[in-house]
């Protein structure tokens, strides 16, 4: 739940004004697409075992992939801080550099 709020705020703060609405809408589309794909995987893996793992364990492991990738991306600094946060923290030069990176 907290991730959805964080992503919405990050998109609003880093998107150009002209595409901000599209970015917010696409977030919702991808959330619903993820629910649909998860349901399909659930149907496909029903009753399947793999190396001693039951179907529910496989679904659990598949659900761990994206959070792990996201945590690594954040930890490695691949996602820049929002320019708004940097300005509020008094780091104007960093905010300008981030804006140059996000809006070339």
């Amino acid at each position: 739940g907290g991730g959805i709020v964080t992503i919405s705020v990050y998109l609003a703060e880093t998107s150009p004004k002209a595409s901000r609405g599209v970015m917010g809408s696409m977030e919702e589309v991808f959330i619903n697409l993820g629910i649909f794909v998860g349901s399909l995987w659930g149907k496909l893996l029903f009753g399947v075992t793999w190396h001693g793992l039951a179907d529910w364990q496989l679904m659990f492991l598949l659900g761990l992939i994206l959070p792990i990738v996201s945590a690594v991306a954040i930890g490695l600094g691949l996602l820049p801080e929002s320019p708004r946060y940097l300005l509020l923290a008094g780091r104007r030069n960093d905010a300008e550099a981030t804006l140059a990176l996000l809006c070339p």
Side-chain angles (χ1 to χ4, degrees), residues 17-103:
K17 188 175 182 178
S19 64
R20 199 167 293 149
V22 173
M23 296 293 281
S25 299
M26 291 307 295
E27 176 192 6
E28 292 298 320
V29 168
F30 286 123
I31 288 170
N32 289 302
L33 183 64
I35 293 169
F36 177 70
V37 170
S39 298
L40 286 180
W41 274 109
K43 292 286 185 187
L44 291 173
L45 291 176
F46 183 73
V48 173
T49 58
W50 181 70
H51 293 284
L53 295 173
D55 51 2
W56 69 270
Q57 292 168 322
L58 290 171
M59 283 296 294
F60 182 77
L61 290 174
L62 285 173
L64 287 177
I65 293 171
L66 187 59
I68 290 172
V69 169
S70 299
V72 168
I74 292 170
L76 292 176
L78 299 176
L79 300 174
E81 293 176 336
S82 76
R84 182 177 183 273
Y85 166 76
L86 293 171
L87 281 174
L88 290 174
R91 296 167 49 190
R92 184 175 178 84
N93 292 338
D94 292 337
E96 290 174 355
T98 300
L99 275 174
L101 178 69
L102 293 173
C103 304

